[in-house]
Amino acid sequence: MRPNYTLSTAPMMEWSDRHCRAFWRVLTKHSLMYTEMVTANAVIHGNRDYLIGYNDVEHPIALQLGGSDPAQLGEAAKIAADYGYDEVNLNCGCPSDRVKSGFFGACLMAEPETVARSMEAVIEAAPIKATVKNRIGIDDQEDYPSLLNFIDTVSASGVNHFIVHARKAWLNGLSPKENREIPPLRYDLVHQLKAERPQLEIAINGGINTLDEADEHLQHVDGVMLGRAAYQNPWILASVDRRFFGAQSDPVATRHEALRAYFPYIESQLAVGAKLHYMTRHLMGLFNAQPGGKQFRRYVSENAYKDGAGLAVLEDAMALVPE
Ligand SMILES: Cc1cc2nc3c(=O)[nH]c(=O)nc-3n(C[C@H](O)[C@H](O)[C@H](O)COP(=O)(O)O)c2cc1C
């Protein structure tokens, strides 16, 4: 079977939380899933179960860390390993202000030595796979030479797996959202990186919307990471097990079946005090572009927030969509 990073889902703050991942796991048993970013500081000092707790069904799962202090990152990585994470990943791609001020995220593209020291500490502290997610570069860095320098410097620390979001981040003047849309995609540079550093595992990310596109990239690189496409149209994940991982069959055959397969998880969460809408907000794209999809979304939006809302809301909403 191909490695789980062949097709992975992206770390996305507010989106790829544990409830979302548990739903995606109904659709694919094999894809590697990344958590939202959690700062090393929060992992060490915060409410750990709340921040990095997850459900066993979510494996294979990677914890994404934010930070640039080697000692802290090492400590957080050790905690991740103790929690049973399969991988720990360092965020070197996120351009938000909050992240800039804390000296982590995409600004680290200009600090490859710092990243290398950090990853040495992570590898030393945690006996699990250690990876980096980065951009091509930032601001006015030269496109390919600075990417190569970053990768060479960081891989000397022992990291051999990089996920490259195939565009630059412009740290001044663009919002985080614009930084996912405006800097041009340069898939060619990521393909070139793999060609010139074949010993490294390189996954590509950014603007990949279909499994055909993913297949195309896999001619050049080792993995494809899907972000918004997986969130906005989760059904795309329902055929990856057979297509990319050689599974005999995909886990569910229809969107309705997927939803029903998620019910036991929802029930278990309601039983421990979670609200229905914590989970239903991740289901809004399931019937995307399907007859009845709009009615499904409207019904869920109007009813999942009500006090005591339970599975009946989803049963009723599902009945609005022809099976
Ligand atoms: C809502 C949202 C939150 C994100 N949060 C993170 C994050 O915490 N860490 C990170 O490395 N990237 C984050 N990203 C970027 C994605 O991981 C990914 O690199 C980006 O969306 C491009 O991939 P896509 O075109 O497949 O969505 C976020 C993206 C979105 C849409």
Side-chain angles (χ1 to χ4, degrees), residues 6-242:
T6 305
L7 201 292
S8 64
T9 59
M12 290 182 283
M13 301 256 250
E14 311 271 320
W15 287 12
S16 65
D17 68 13
R18 67 181 76 182
H19 302 310
C20 176
R21 298 186 308 259
F23 173 57
W24 284 346
R25 196 49 88 206
V26 164
L27 302 166
T28 165
K29 302 298 172 200
H30 299 290
S31 294
L32 175 63
M33 293 184 185
Y34 287 78
T35 66
E36 306 164 271
M37 183 193 76
V38 188
T39 67
N41 195 42
V43 171
I44 296 165
H45 301 293
N47 177 346
R48 231 168 254 177
D49 282 342
Y50 173 74
L51 290 168
I52 67 167
Y54 63 92
N55 191 291
D56 273 344
V57 298
E58 294 174 40
H59 287 290
I61 181 172
L63 176 65
Q64 188 186 59
L65 293 175
S68 57
D69 178 84
Q72 274 200 340
L73 284 165
E75 194 176 343
K78 165 88 172 56
I79 293 166
D82 291 345
Y83 259 72
Y85 277 92
D86 301 293
E87 174 183 320
V88 63
N89 173 268
L90 183 66
N91 180 343
C92 297
C94 194
S96 83
D97 285 346
R98 196 156 60 100
V99 168
K100 245 195 313 181
S101 58
F103 195 44
F104 44 76
C107 60
L108 290 172
M109 293 302 299
E111 307 283 343
E113 288 291 347
T114 305
V115 177
R117 298 293 81 75
S118 298
M119 294 312 290
E120 272 167 13
V122 164
I123 291 167
E124 166 82 24
I128 53 176
K129 187 163 177 168
T131 66
V132 169
K133 178 167 180 277
N134 57 281
R135 296 271 181 148
I136 281 174
I138 49 171
D139 301 328
D140 54 4
Q141 284 184 327
E142 289 174 285
D143 284 353
Y144 191 67
S146 61
L147 173 64
L148 199 60
N149 178 52
F150 178 86
I151 298 288
D152 284 344
T153 308
V154 176
S155 60
S157 72
V159 174
N160 77 339
H161 186 109
F162 294 85
I163 304 112
V164 187
H165 181 177
R167 52 163 63 92
K168 279 181 150 183
W170 296 339
L171 296 184
N172 291 310
L174 291 189
S175 70
K177 184 166 184 290
E178 288 169 330
N179 255 313
R180 294 192 285 267
E181 287 160 6
I182 293 177
L185 284 161
R186 293 295 308 271
Y187 296 135
D188 56 319
L189 300 183
V190 184
H191 296 171
Q192 185 181 348
L193 175 67
K194 175 62 190 179
E196 292 183 9
R197 296 291 181 270
Q199 74 282 11
L200 299 176
E201 295 164 1
I202 303 293
I204 195 166
N205 164 249
I208 300 164
N209 285 319
T210 67
L211 297 185
D212 285 345
E213 289 169 29
D215 245 338
E216 184 66 29
H217 285 293
L218 289 170
Q219 308 298 314
H220 304 278
V221 292
D222 304 292
V224 169
M225 174 184 271
L226 299 179
R228 288 163 291 186
Y231 194 82
Q232 287 157 358
N233 175 26
W235 189 244
I236 194 175
L237 297 174
S239 48
V240 306
D241 281 3
R242 266 207 311 184

Side-chain angles (χ1 to χ4, degrees), residues 23 26-27 232-238 252-263 283-291 293 296-297 318 321-323:
F23 173 57
V26 164
L27 302 166
Q232 287 157 358
N233 175 26
W235 189 244
I236 194 175
L237 297 174
V252 289
T254 67
R255 292 170 169 85
H256 285 75
E257 200 183 322
L259 206 44
R260 284 192 203 99
Y262 190 44
F263 280 5
L283 305 175
M284 291 300 157
L286 179 61
F287 294 103
N288 197 3
Q290 298 299 300
F296 172 86
R297 279 195 297 280
M318 222 168 29
V321 190
E323 191 148 4

